[in-house]
Amino acid sequence: MKYSSHIPVMVKEVLDILDPQEKGIYLDCTIGAGGHSKAIMEKMRGKVKIVGIDLDEEALKIAKEELKEYKNQLVLKKENFKDLFQLLKEEKISCVNGILYDLGVSSMQLNTPERGFSFRYSALLDMRMDRKQELTAGFIVNRAKEEELKNIFLKLGEERWAGRIAKFIIKEREKHPLQTTKDLVEVARKAIPSGARKRRIHFATKIFQALRIKVNEELKNLNAALEKCPEILCTKGKICVISYHSLEDRIVKEVFKKKEGEGKLHILTKKVIKPSLKEVKRNPRARSAKLRAAKKI
């Protein structure tokens, strides 16, 4: 299994904020290839416990291999991070000392063509984090009404040409189903005026982002999970969230502010933390990353 292309983002910043302690329990809500968890284990020489969760079974297999040296201090679970209460109850854990979210889609998912996350490859329109769920991007593209498609692209992708793209999808799927990523890219190419296609980012980026978020209910699940975090943190426990677009970051900012107002959290990052220029040069995926953190009072 090839996964060497995944580089964890802002590892030093995460370690500095979480400041892991011996015998502490840390919850990695999006363990992916295990990069951040491995950094914590290495720093603490395995003298911590990490509960790592992910919806992606392939990611969990990779994390298990990457962290095999620390298998006795590691619990891996295929779970949705909105179900944290039940997960910790099953593990008989009353509270954790730190929580980490590294949101969005990982490099290994983007670089696996058959997952359908990337417009760089021709593959079926899938985009499921959990490959056992029924809803796929292809189902949405071929079954949703025009107004629903427009709202998905506008609200979840902040796509300026959302209405026009939705209209073109309806017209195109009357001729034949849109089955592949290539099919969707071609519709977007027709729908978005040539001048607007010459943006810094690829013209299909926001459409794919919106569909991925919808398929996996990412924003809804993030909001639900963050609301619960103060309840599962030990006193002085810390939470770090790395987001990659404004919709995610807005939810993190608003929930942290709300919980601070309720006297449950103290925000540690009055200004969002961004990766250094050196890190972005080494790992271009980090360029849009934003880190926010808070501590339980």
Side-chain angles (χ1 to χ4, degrees), residues 73-86:
Q73 292 82 40
L74 179 70
V75 175
L76 294 176
K77 293 280 188 177
K78 180 180 179 290
E79 297 283 355
N80 191 313
F81 55 51
K82 70 180 175 65
D83 300 319
L84 295 178
F85 269 137
Q86 185 59 32

Side-chain angles (χ1 to χ4, degrees), residues 142-236:
N142 287 289
R143 299 294 184 89
K145 295 179 180 179
E146 183 177 332
E147 189 65 20
E148 184 181 356
L149 287 171
K150 176 185 173 181
N151 286 333
I152 289 171
F153 299 142
L154 185 62
K155 294 179 180 178
L156 303 183
E158 299 179 306
E159 172 55 63
R160 176 185 176 189
W161 303 99
R164 190 172 163 88
I165 293 165
K167 192 178 294 293
F168 273 62
I169 285 174
I170 299 298
K171 188 183 299 183
E172 198 67 26
R173 79 187 191 192
E174 287 174 355
K175 303 174 191 174
H176 59 84
L178 303 179
Q179 297 181 323
T180 69
T181 53
K182 185 177 178 182
D183 291 339
L184 184 57
V185 169
E186 287 307 306
V187 173
R189 190 189 304 276
K190 293 174 185 177
I192 299 173
S194 59
R197 292 203 305 267
K198 297 173 183 177
R199 299 181 290 198
R200 182 176 63 84
I201 62 170
H202 191 282
F203 61 84
T205 300
K206 293 182 177 182
I207 303 168
F208 274 68
Q209 171 190 298
L211 283 171
R212 190 200 80 226
I213 290 172
K214 180 62 178 177
V215 168
N216 299 289
E217 294 289 5
E218 293 176 32
L219 301 184
K220 181 180 177 181
N221 291 337
L222 174 62
N223 190 81
L226 291 179
E227 285 282 349
K228 297 174 183 175
C229 280
E231 313 304 323
I232 61 175
L233 275 172
C234 303
T235 302
K236 296 185 179 179

Side-chain angles (χ1 to χ4, degrees), residues 95-121:
C95 67
V96 298
N97 303 97
I99 302 174
L100 171 65
Y101 291 87
D102 183 7
L103 303 171
V105 63
S106 71
S107 300
M108 61 184 180
Q109 289 167 328
L110 287 170
N111 294 333
T112 306
E114 64 267 24
R115 300 298 297 272
F117 284 109
S118 176
F119 47 76
R120 290 183 293 143
Y121 311 105

Side-chain angles (χ1 to χ4, degrees), residues 22 43 87 108 112 114 124 132 197 292 296:
E22 285 190 13
K43 179 176 181 179
L87 169 65
M108 61 184 180
T112 306
E114 64 267 24
L124 291 178
K132 290 184 177 178
R197 292 203 305 267
R292 294 188 187 272
K296 181 168 180 177

Side-chain angles (χ1 to χ4, degrees), residues 268-282:
L268 299 173
T269 48
K270 295 304 179 183
K271 288 187 178 180
V272 70
I273 298 174
K274 296 182 180 180
S276 65
L277 292 175
K278 183 178 179 182
E279 178 171 4
V280 172
K281 187 174 182 181
R282 180 175 61 91

